[in-house]
Amino acid sequence: MSRINLKKMKFATLCVHGSGGVDPATGAVSIPIYQSSTFAFHNAREGAQIFAGERDGYVYTRIGNPTQAALEKEIAFLENGEAALAFGSGMAAISSVVLSLCESGSNVVSSNTLYGGTHQLFKETLVRYQIEVREVDGTQIENFASEIDEYTRCIYIETPANPTLTIIDIEACARLARKHNIPLIVDNTFSTPYFQRPLDIGADIVVHSATKYIGGHGDTVAGLVVGSKAYIDELRNSILRDLGGIISPLNAWLLVRGLKTLAIRMERHQETALEVAKYLNFHPKVRRVWYPGLTTHPQYELVKKQMTGFGGIVSFEIKGGRKAGETLMNNVHLFTLAVSLGDVDSLIEHPASMTHSTYGQQDLKKCGISEEFVRLSVGIEDRHDLIDDLSQALRKVKI
Ligand SMILES: Cc1ncc(COP(=O)(O)O)c(C=O)c1O
């Protein structure tokens, strides 16, 4: 495999082979789980050289590990970045990136519709370290522009956003970031590189909750950062080394395995989600549906400009208030009532009281997340079975 130019390969091939092929040390076809905290040096001189950065080699799993390296190599290929770094969770990846760029007294300008945990980091935790995050309605590029000042260290966006599927114009944000000589960070969790490659349209850093589609099976919590080699080296040797938010070798292996099927899983998620979205769009008990693949999505033109597909998340507002949503969630059988997303299993949740409960009432309203808002993560089950399940549960809803 090493003689093949992987850079020329198509996405599905990279998913299977991008992590490096047969393990050179053992011939193992599946990358081994290098479950070792530390790595022996051949002699003292070699150890000193590796520590001094004069020679490549593994030292200690908090700083790097061959199974982790296989994962990083692969996600860097898929996102078309120079290098990548894996973390123990999406939040570890996001907080590490922000901390690597900011110091006390500086600020971040961010879109306001974010995963609830990111919003909490931005609005509660970072404030304690005098890092301010200015969250704006990201659908208007002028809103970012008017908040940037000499202390702004980066622009941060999540697109499509969790859970409203709001789309932010990556290219326009990248232009603005370049003008101010600051990096643009994009959370690409919802699309994965299969449907959107932010680095190709001007972003500098991509972050992922790899817990979601990258792993794909609801069994691993992890995060990823992709960017230039210079930035990733610095991140590894400073924040990762110091704060220690590493991924375990087992979890890195689970993600390498998950990535092998990413292309076919994403196709299937999308195919089924589109059918579910269309079904809900015409349902008399549903007020409104948000799905990037519906022509009724308010930013459908932008979706087509920057994404090659729509993903597997469908959100909707049910008629009949919070009670109607609860009846629905308590009566589905195939959709599991649980947070997280991107699993092969279909999931259903109530953002206002669950994933986005960190937003106060006012911020929820500002972002358009009502009490009637329900989020579906459409899995890879048969679409007819999923629609039948929603249909029988919606019959029990009184409006
Ligand atoms: C878009 C997005 N980014 C980041 C995160 C945080 O990732 P993790 O739960 O892996 O820490 C999540 C979690 O749901 C998410 O949905």
Side-chain angles (χ1 to χ4, degrees):
M1 187 54 59
S2 57
R3 268 177 278 128
I4 292 174
N5 185 354
L6 278 169
K7 281 222 152 88
K8 290 198 173 147
M9 298 286 150
K10 299 280 188 301
F11 194 94
T13 310
L14 280 178
C15 284
V16 179
H17 296 288
S19 62
V22 172
D23 179 45
T26 60
V29 174
S30 161
I31 174 81
I33 304 165
Y34 282 95
Q35 191 70 32
S36 183
S37 56
T38 192
F39 296 85
F41 309 123
H42 289 103
N43 52 57
R45 187 173 159 74
E46 185 197 63
Q49 284 173 330
I50 294 173
F51 257 85
E54 292 161 6
R55 190 177 176 150
D56 286 341
Y58 293 100
V59 172
Y60 186 59
T61 285
R62 172 155 48 75
I63 303 158
N65 171 290
T67 317
Q68 177 188 341
L71 167 65
E72 291 166 347
K73 186 172 166 195
E74 177 148 4
I75 192 68
F77 265 131
L78 295 176
E79 285 285 6
N80 204 17
E82 284 178 12
L85 195 53
F87 287 84
S89 69
M91 288 315 303
I94 294 165
S95 55
S96 296
V97 167
V98 173
L99 290 174
S100 76
L101 299 169
C102 294
E103 73 285 347
S104 131
S106 65
N107 67 70
V108 174
V109 178
S110 162
S111 49
N112 63 0
T113 317
L114 300 163
Y115 162 58
T118 308
H119 174 75
Q120 174 161 310
L121 166 75
F122 284 0
K123 288 306 198 188
E124 291 181 31
T125 307
L126 291 180
V127 177
R128 289 169 40 212
Y129 302 93
Q130 288 83 47
I131 297 168
E132 182 195 354
V133 181
R134 302 172 178 172
E135 290 183 3
V136 299
D137 171 359
T139 59
Q140 306 298 323
I141 192 74
E142 313 80 71
N143 294 343
F144 291 102
S146 61
E147 291 295 335
I148 295 175
D149 63 23
E150 62 186 297
Y151 300 106
T152 305
R153 297 291 175 259
C154 58
I155 299 176
Y156 184 98
I157 61 175
E158 186 179 298
T159 181
N162 184 355
T164 55
L165 297 150
T166 305
I167 311 294
I168 316 281
D169 189 332
I170 298 174
E171 201 182 6
C173 286
R175 232 179 292 123
L176 181 66
R178 257 195 313 277
K179 185 173 152 202
H180 291 274
N181 205 19
I182 52 176
L184 170 66
I185 305 161
V186 179
D187 184 331
N188 200 26
T189 299
F190 269 39
S191 286
T192 81
Y194 188 65
F195 288 135
Q196 175 173 277
R197 299 221 283 195
L199 299 179
D200 286 354
I201 34 182
D204 301 281
I205 299 168
V206 164
V207 293
H208 278 281
S209 168
T211 313
K212 312 299 187 311
Y213 291 108
I214 305 282
H217 294 74
D219 51 18
T220 314
V221 175
L224 294 165
V225 179
V226 190
S228 70
K229 183 168 181 325
Y231 174 69
I232 294 294
D233 284 351
E234 190 191 310
L235 189 62
R236 184 189 301 278
N237 291 318
S238 57
I239 299 288
L240 178 71
R241 187 184 282 243
D242 296 348
L243 301 189
I246 55 142
I247 191 168
S248 71
L250 171 62
N251 282 354
W253 182 85
L254 283 165
L255 295 190
V256 170
R257 190 173 68 160
L259 276 173
K260 286 187 193 288
T261 56
L262 181 69
I264 53 171
R265 278 189 289 110
M266 292 313 288
E267 277 298 328
R268 175 64 175 240
H269 282 298
Q270 154 162 281
E271 203 181 285
T272 312
L274 184 58
E275 291 306 314
V276 168
K278 283 184 187 163
Y279 165 76
L280 291 170
N281 213 20
F282 288 105
H283 198 286
K285 292 183 184 170
V286 171
R287 179 165 295 121
R288 189 173 165 191
V289 179
W290 286 264
Y291 181 64
L294 291 180
T295 52
T296 50
H297 189 289
Q299 297 160 294
Y300 189 64
E301 286 310 309
L302 182 55
V303 169
K304 284 197 297 184
K305 184 182 137 200
Q306 70 184 27
M307 297 163 70
T308 54
F310 317 119
I313 307 299
V314 179
S315 293
F316 62 101
E317 248 176 18
I318 192 165
K319 292 180 186 168
R322 166 102 174 240
K323 190 146 182 27
E326 281 174 358
T327 306
L328 172 75
M329 286 182 272
N330 290 338
N331 283 283
V332 283
H333 304 306
L334 276 181
F335 282 85
T336 302
L337 177 53
V339 298
S340 202
L341 56 97
D343 298 355
V344 289
D345 304 54
S346 290
L347 306 172
I348 187 168
E349 68 113 12
H350 182 244
S353 67
M354 297 174 189
T355 47
H356 291 70
S357 56
T358 54
Y359 277 68
Q361 283 307 316
Q362 239 183 348
D363 284 342
L364 281 174
K365 208 165 161 203
K366 243 192 247 167
C367 299
I369 306 169
S370 69
E371 284 287 323
E372 303 179 319
F373 202 100
V374 176
R375 189 190 75 189
L376 301 179
S377 172
V378 177
I380 63 165
E381 302 94 333
D382 183 276
R383 67 184 148 126
H384 300 104
D385 289 338
L386 291 176
I387 290 172
D388 284 351
D389 190 33
L390 288 171
S391 167
Q392 65 75 27
L394 279 164
R395 274 200 295 278
K396 299 192 172 112
V397 170
K398 300 221 179 347
I399 56 172

